[in-house]
Amino acid sequence: MTGDRARLVSRPVVGTVLSGRAIGDRAKPGVAARPCTHHSTAMDYGALCREAIIKFFPKEASDESFAVFEPTQGGVNNCTQYVTVNTQPPKKYVIRVYNNACNNKLVKWEHDILRQLQSMQLSFRVPVGLPCPEDGNTFVTLSNGTNAALFELIPGHLPKLSMVTEIGKASGELVTALAKCRGSGDSPIAPIHDLWKVHHGVPSKEVFLSSIQAPAFDGVRESMDFLAAQLELMEREVEGFKLQGLPWQIMHGDLHYDNILVDDEGVTGLLDFEFLATDWRVMELAICLCKYVGEPDPLPYLKLFIDGYATTGSLTRAEMKALASSLPPWSV
């Protein structure tokens, strides 16, 4: 990584990449969800999904034929599957078993914000959870302490590099709507720009700097030293942004084209609100753009997206300047 392209790792947008929130490493189509070991011990997701269905349908789900599960294209951070329940008529949902170290506060925060968004007149759908008959909550706690939710199915498919302007418009609309939402207490997730708190695997700057001195990194020592220097630069830039009074609000935190559904008419739904947090408003736009800047010729995508975003969202001059410094120079 040399020259202008190396500057990408020195920019705050990379905070989203380092946090793992904007990488979008989705499961391969047709591959069933499998036990995951990050954030928690390995779990039997098949059994947990069935346990969750019994909680949402306590009278019917004792019959195992009542619910039929099938894999989705997503679900990297959690176990996410389609489930068709044999009601009259049969209905298809998306079931999620959270893999977040049994963080009930985080799930409650997500569902509280989703309820507020559902009350607004938006041009797209957001996830709507099925209430549990026992207490009316849209998520349940399972026998191992983790949480699960059953969401209404939103039609559509992943857009990848299509409908960029429409995605920009929907993204700006969501950012504007989230500015009106209020969380119950402080956000359970650190701001993305807080580099040493956004990922459980890197608990502090000291741990990171110590870890990269291990012999295992000797083969890439030059790259590790370069990365450490770029992170120092990033920290200084973040401190500068803190003095600029950038607008602060609730943000989706993982808003990019792998968490958006479209059809032939436009955007049908925005998904995966599990990383909702409070941060500088402009960070949301940086995350939105982070996948496009990795394309061989990113400028047309950035222009199309921002053209759409500008019709429903807004940025101050200070935010525009911060965003410009967040993007690699070859993309603008």
Side-chain angles (χ1 to χ4, degrees):
M1 189 184 302
T2 58
D4 282 345
R5 287 183 178 267
R7 294 180 59 192
L8 174 59
V9 298
S10 73
R11 304 305 181 185
V13 67
V14 181
T16 67
V17 177
L18 293 176
S19 72
R21 298 183 191 176
I23 297 174
D25 47 347
R26 317 298 285 177
K28 295 180 180 179
V31 177
R34 58 189 183 278
C36 181
T37 56
H38 65 285
H39 300 295
S40 65
T41 57
M43 294 184 280
D44 182 349
Y45 281 118
L48 292 172
C49 284
R50 293 202 172 276
E51 181 184 346
I53 288 297
I54 291 174
K55 286 183 175 291
F56 284 105
F57 297 95
K59 295 181 180 179
E60 303 94 335
S62 56
D63 180 359
E64 288 197 3
S65 65
F66 174 75
V68 178
F69 299 90
E70 58 183 297
T72 69
Q73 295 182 28
V76 168
N77 297 302
N78 307 293
C79 170
T80 305
Q81 297 197 49
Y82 296 122
V83 55
T84 301
V85 296
N86 191 25
T87 52
Q88 294 300 324
K91 189 169 182 179
K92 192 172 186 178
Y93 296 92
V94 174
I95 187 168
R96 168 187 285 178
V97 176
Y98 289 85
N99 186 23
N100 61 8
C102 303
N103 192 332
N104 180 278
K105 183 179 180 182
L106 190 155
V107 179
K108 184 178 186 302
W109 172 274
E110 172 194 353
H111 286 245
D112 285 347
I113 302 302
L114 282 174
R115 275 191 288 271
Q116 295 176 56
L117 291 173
Q118 291 156 15
S119 69
M120 301 179 188
Q121 296 295 319
L122 301 173
S123 65
F124 49 81
R125 294 174 62 182
V126 297
V128 175
L130 187 72
C132 176
E134 181 179 348
D135 56 15
N137 287 332
T138 52
F139 65 92
V140 298
T141 302
L142 304 179
S143 57
N144 69 341
T146 195
N147 299 119
L150 196 61
F151 295 106
E152 294 182 4
L153 184 67
I154 300 176
H157 60 270
L158 297 177
K160 296 302 180 183
L161 297 177
S162 68
M163 293 198 170
V164 180
T165 301
E166 291 84 351
I167 292 173
K169 181 178 179 180
S171 299
E173 186 179 351
L174 177 66
V175 171
T176 300
L178 284 171
K180 303 173 185 177
C181 295
R182 297 294 178 267
S184 52
D186 295 334
S187 166
I189 295 182
I192 294 177
H193 73 261
D194 196 341
L195 302 177
W196 308 112
K197 293 183 179 179
V198 294
H199 197 281
H200 66 99
V202 188
S204 70
K205 180 179 180 180
E206 292 71 26
V207 168
F208 170 77
L209 293 176
S210 175
S211 297
I212 65 174
Q213 296 306 315
F217 291 100
D218 287 346
V220 288
R221 178 60 51 208
E222 183 179 354
S223 296
M224 289 297 99
D225 291 344
F226 177 81
L227 177 60
Q230 295 304 298
L231 287 170
E232 290 282 355
L233 175 59
M234 190 190 304
E235 284 187 290
R236 291 196 294 271
E237 291 192 345
V238 167
E239 290 303 312
F241 291 149
K242 289 179 180 179
L243 302 176
Q244 297 179 23
L246 300 175
W248 183 272
Q249 66 166 71
I250 292 174
M251 61 178 292
H252 180 285
D254 200 20
L255 189 57
H256 54 75
Y257 58 60
D258 276 333
N259 286 330
I260 294 173
L261 294 175
V262 300
D263 62 14
D264 292 340
E265 302 299 322
V267 174
T268 59
L270 303 186
L271 310 175
D272 288 3
F273 284 74
E274 64 190 277
F275 290 123
L276 279 164
T278 52
D279 206 328
W280 295 320
R281 177 176 64 180
V282 69
M283 287 298 292
E284 192 85 275
L285 182 53
I287 294 172
C288 291
L289 297 176
C290 70
K291 287 203 169 188
Y292 297 119
V293 299
E295 293 299 315
D297 184 16
L299 185 57
Y301 297 114
L302 300 186
K303 184 180 185 306
L304 288 171
F305 188 99
I306 293 173
D307 283 348
Y309 187 95
T311 64
T312 53
S314 60
L315 292 175
T316 64
R317 186 171 296 276
E319 286 178 298
M320 294 178 191
K321 184 177 180 181
L323 179 65
S325 69
S326 299
L327 299 176
W330 69 88
S331 67
V332 295

